[in-house]
């Protein structure tokens, strides 16, 4: 701590805020403006909220395996668990964790900056997120409870009293929470984008950035462009609910009573929702893809294969994500001719996604693979991403989507491709950066145990859902007892899935124990235990202290993937090391062996 | 060691899932409509994606096994291979066009009902299905949410002469369809979104309050099938069901004649 920021060179003219390291408890740990502390705050909050989301998934699974035997779970609270589970997982866990947690921790360290461009805004972003979480949970204590309108909160059902549970204060609080979350995400997103564009260390060109930064950067841009649609849709829905407007509600007759709305269009909401919702799934998957790319390269001791193609794919996926939203609406009643375009654009996304997959595989080829826990998780990510992504070829191909949409086929698809894949990417990242962030090693044996159960369990939970969906098991059903065309054995399959889900849940206790135990008792970590090239591993202290770099900021001479360069003495050359054979190898174009 | 285990686990996963996918008891229920083309698309897509799924995992398993760390080895320094990249992109694109093009053909017939289709109306509400058949004039009368009352539960416009001879099957009733005759459904919703879904027909379409959506198919097997609701519509979503009975033209006409017309039920005329 002694060489704190006083008198740091003013490389970027933004340093005033870092001149003084805060010393008080409140400014150091609670209202901190240090990106690393804010990252921890995001991480811890998101994980705790995620635990709630996971418990809800167990309750749903218990109901589906043992319908009617748990008096705790009724049709109304099944829908509430389902809705809150979906919202929590997508928004309050994955988005918050990947952008707020990884984004905050990694961007400044990986690009060689001392902190974010706007540290105060960064702090505000976290606390605004915190408020949105409070609002989310406040819905549990209002009359009617939280919303049970599905995570898509389609009107009219989500706001008409008597339709879904929580259709009064539950949904209103949820909409307010989402609006606040959008504010938080906007503050964060602006900060991440500005920081990446403005505060890169000397020599760090865009094409020298590690793919983690690329993933987080493009995801932040998507967030900035997509969240406004959610915000607008949310505010309009709130007005329909509170002020009696009719943006989304036409003349309806509910339970024999004509309601006061007139002239609104429910499909308009779906367009707004998915204009946000589709990019949202890439907001969570792109950072995970970036993290996984870096981890695979490191533990293969090889450059990532086709770096440029990886960057272009990230950009292509990000760009296309704004052109495909209505593939969620093929049977919504929108103009059926729209579907031609959305099917074509959707299947086009498969190409950059496939490129990424090939490149991860080709990175393994010829490597010197080192199977640490993060590496296992990264490979697990590739496998589940493919298992989920391939069925996008059914659901994007309109005619094939018709029988499958709104069944468990879709539940299987999105859980595998963006739910558990993102979670596996998060686990990979947590284990990978744990030594840097905490200064101690996690327990490798427990980490691997956690991996095996989670990875195999994930397949056991979600792959069978494809079969159930094809057999016609609709999603969002409290029970399937009366769905007669399902073969009787699908009930046994549901029990199997529930057992797998509970087992995976239990494995998370191993993870929690490993984290907590290692924070206090883990073996002391070296600064660069994985022999990695990127800048975050080159900090003078581990964990890095306020200001990150000590008296001089790093200067970058090479990309982040100089592993096993022929002629180099070690099998990795950090980005801040000058000269050496690597650059020659690259410059002479001798890239193939 | 982990490398070998991981390779084995990946192989076991693909072998297990592939076998069950093709021979397991869970799959598409037996087709009962003209949409065999959708089934063919599903089968072709399954074959293509399964090949990709097996290939990715098997190749990964092999690399994991082959290139696992052993003392003294050093990784190959390979940055890129443009030729390989190009080949992979082209192969992938061909695969995608191969799936997409026929899919779009099937879809274009899916949205173009034949002119001779029997038109009838499906009305959804929380949490039941109602139906309306055109009478002898072959035309459905106009309807509007505004006209709904205790007796006129579908909101038929009584001033429209075309509606007088319509046959309304009120909420909770059964849908009857003649076998081998194309039907075009006009779907309406009284309150919230619902979705008309009959797994054996391979069709599904949301019903939207404030508008009409359309769906056509030709049931080609006599029998009784279940109508499910596939769009979350509130607490009763899971039990919003109805039956569809597909029967011969004569049986269908006989049944239809026994149903009271709108003017009979409502005492108009
Ligand atoms: C082991 C972990 C998980 C289990 C066992 C699980 C289970 C479930 C179940 C049973 C449903 C309800 C399906 C229905 O009734 O239609 C569901 C819905 C959902 N889950 Fe998960 N889930 C898990 C993890 C995740 C993750 C990581 C995500 C992150 C994206 C996620 C996102 C969702 C969403 C968005 C829904 C849809 C909610 C809705 O229909 O409104 N889940 N999950
Ligand atoms: Cu989407
Ligand atoms: Cu429903």
């Amino acid at each position: 701590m002694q060489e704190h920021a006083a008198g740091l060179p003013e490389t970027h003219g933004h340093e005033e805020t870092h001149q003084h390291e805060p010393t008080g408890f409140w400014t150091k740990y609670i209202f901190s403006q240090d990106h690393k502390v804010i990252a921890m705050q995001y991480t811890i909050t998101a994980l705790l909220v995620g635990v709630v989301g996971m418990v809800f998934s167990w309750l749903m699974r218990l109901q589906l395996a043992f319908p009617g035997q748990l008096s705790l779970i009724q049709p109304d609270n099944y829908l509430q668990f389902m809705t809150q589970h979906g919202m929590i997982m997508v928004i309050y866990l994955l988005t918050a964790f990947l952008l707020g947690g990884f984004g905050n921790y990694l961007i400044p360290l990986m690009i060689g900056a001392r902190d974010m461009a706007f540290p105060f805004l960064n702090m505000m972003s976290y606390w605004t997120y915190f408020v949105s979480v409070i609002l989310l949970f406040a819905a549990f204590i209002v009359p009617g409870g939280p919303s049970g309108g599905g995570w898509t909160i389609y009107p009219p059902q989500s706001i008409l009293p008597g339709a879904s549970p929580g259709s009064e204060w539950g949904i209103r609080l949820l909409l307010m929470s989402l609006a606040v979350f959008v504010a938080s995400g906007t503050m964060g997103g602006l900060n991440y984008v500005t920081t990446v564009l403005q505060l890169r260390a000397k020599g760090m060109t865009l094409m020298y950035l590690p793919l983690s930064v690329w993933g987080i950067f493009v995801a932040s841009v998507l967030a900035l462009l997509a969240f406004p649609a959610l915000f607008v849709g949310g505010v309009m829905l709130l007005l329909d609910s509170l002020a009696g407007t009719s943006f989304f509600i036409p003349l309806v007759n509910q339970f024999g009573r004509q309601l006061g709305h007139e002239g609104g269009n429910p499909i308009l909401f779906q367009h707004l929702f998915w204009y946000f919702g589709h990019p949202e799934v890439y907001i969570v998957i792109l950072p995970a893809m970036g993290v996984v790319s870096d981890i695979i390269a490191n533990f293969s001791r090889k450059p990532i294969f086709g770096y440029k193609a990886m960057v272009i794919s990230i950009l292509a996926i990000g760009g296309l994500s704004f052109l495909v939203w209505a593939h969620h609406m093929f049977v919504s009643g929108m103009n059926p001719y729209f579907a031609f375009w959305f099917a074509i654009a959707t299947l086009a996304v498969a190409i950059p996604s496939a490129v990424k997959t090939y490149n991860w595989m080709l990175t393994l080829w010829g490597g010197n693979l080192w199977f640490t826990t993060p590496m296992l998780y990264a490979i697990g990510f590739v496998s589940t991403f493919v298992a989920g992504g391939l069925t996008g070829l059914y659901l994007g191909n309109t005619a094939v989507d018709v029988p499958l949409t709104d069944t468990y086929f879709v539940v299987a698809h999105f859980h595998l491709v963006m739910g558990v894949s993102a979670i596996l990417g998060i686990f990979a990242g947590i284990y990978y950066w744990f030594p840097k962030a905490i200064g101690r090693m996690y327990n490798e044996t427990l980490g691997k145990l956690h991996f095996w159960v989670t990875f195999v369990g994930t397949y056991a939970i979600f792959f069978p859902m494809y079969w159930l969906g094809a057999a016609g098991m609709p999603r969002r059903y409290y029970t399937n007892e009366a769905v007669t065309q399902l073969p009787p054995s699908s009930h046994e399959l549901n029990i199997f899935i529930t057992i797998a889900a509970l087992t995976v849940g239990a494995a998370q206790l191993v993870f929690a124990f490993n984290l907590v135990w290692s924070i206090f008792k883990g073996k002391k970590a070296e600064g660069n235990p994985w022999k990695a090239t990127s800048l975050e591993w080159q900090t003078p202290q581990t964990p890095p202290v306020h200001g990150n770099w000590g008296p001089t900021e790093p200067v970058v001479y090479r990309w982040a993937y100089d592993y096993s360069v022929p002629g180099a003495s070690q099998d990795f050359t950090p980005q801040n090391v000058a000269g050496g054979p690597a650059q020659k190898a690259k410059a002479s174009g001798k890239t193939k062996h | 060691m982990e490398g070998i285990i991981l390779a084995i686990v990946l192989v076991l996963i693909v072998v297990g899932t592939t076998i069950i996918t093709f021979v397991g008891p869970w799959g598409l229920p037996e087709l009962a409509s003209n949409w065999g083309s959708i089934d063919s698309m599903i089968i072709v897509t399954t074959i293509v994606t399964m090949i990709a799924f097996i290939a990715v995992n098997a190749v990964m398993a092999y690399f994991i096994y082959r290139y696992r760390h052993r003392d003294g080895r050093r990784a190959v320094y390979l940055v890129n291979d443009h030729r390989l990249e190009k080949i992979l992109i082209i192969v992938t694109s061909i695969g995608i066009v191969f799936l997409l093009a026929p899919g779009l053909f099937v879809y274009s017939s899916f949205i173009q009902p034949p002119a001779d289709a029997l038109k009838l109306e499906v009305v959804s509400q929380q949490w039941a299905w109602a139906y309306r058949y055109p009478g002898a004039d072959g035309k459905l009368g106009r309807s509007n949410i505004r006209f709904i009352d205790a007796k006129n539960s579908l909101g038929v416009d009584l001033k429209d002469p075309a509606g007088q001879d319509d046959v309304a099957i009120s909420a909770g009733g059964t849908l009857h369809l003649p076998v081998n005759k194309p039907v075009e459904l006009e779907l309406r919703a009284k309150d919230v979104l619902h979705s008309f879904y009959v797994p054996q027909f391979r069709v599904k379409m949301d019903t939207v309050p404030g508008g009409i959506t359309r769906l056509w198919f030709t049931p080609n097997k006599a029998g009784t099938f279940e109508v499910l609701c596939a769009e979350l519509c509130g607490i009763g979503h899971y039990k919003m069901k109805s039956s569809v009975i597909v029967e011969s033209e004569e049986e269908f006409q006989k049944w239809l004649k026994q149903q009271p017309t709108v003017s009979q039920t409502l005492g108009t005329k």
Side-chain angles (χ1 to χ4, degrees), chain A residues 60 78 85 89 150-151 408 414-415 418-419 423 475-476:
Chain A
M60 287 186 284
Y78 181 88
H85 162 80
M89 289 300 188
W151 91 281
Y408 266 70
F414 72 74
H415 274 97
M418 61 88 62
I423 294 276
R475 73 187 276 205
R476 294 168 166 173

Side-chain angles (χ1 to χ4, degrees), chain A residues 45 114 235 254 398 452:
Chain A
T45 314
R114 294 198 178 277
V235 170
Q254 191 189 23
T398 322
W452 290 115

Side-chain angles (χ1 to χ4, degrees), chain A residues 371 376 452, chain B residues 1-9 61 64-65 68:
Chain A
F371 296 102
L376 293 175
W452 290 115
Chain B
M1 194 55 206
E2 275 87 8
I4 298 175
I5 301 178
L6 183 57
I8 295 172
V9 167
I64 287 167
Y65 169 77
R68 67 190 188 281

Side-chain angles (χ1 to χ4, degrees), chain A residues 477, chain B residues 127 129 193-195 228-234 236-238 240:
Chain A
Y477 266 32
Chain B
W127 287 284
W129 298 97
L193 303 169
H194 304 271
S195 191
L228 300 170
C229 177
E231 181 65 78
L232 179 58
C233 55
H237 173 50
Y238 71 99
M240 177 165 164

Side-chain angles (χ1 to χ4, degrees), chain A residues 524-579:
Chain A
K524 277 252 177 305
E526 309 155 35
N528 190 0
W530 311 127
K531 302 187 183 8
T533 54
S534 45
L535 288 181
E536 80 275 23
W537 300 103
Q538 325 303 333
T539 55
Q541 293 88 0
T542 295
V545 297
H546 190 72
N548 293 346
W549 305 107
T552 42
E553 290 182 14
V555 178
V556 170
Y557 299 96
R558 61 186 70 239
W559 71 339
Y561 300 99
D562 269 341
Y563 289 106
S564 304
V565 180
S569 55
Q570 290 171 303
D571 74 348
F572 70 109
T573 321
Q575 285 190 277
N576 57 348
V577 171

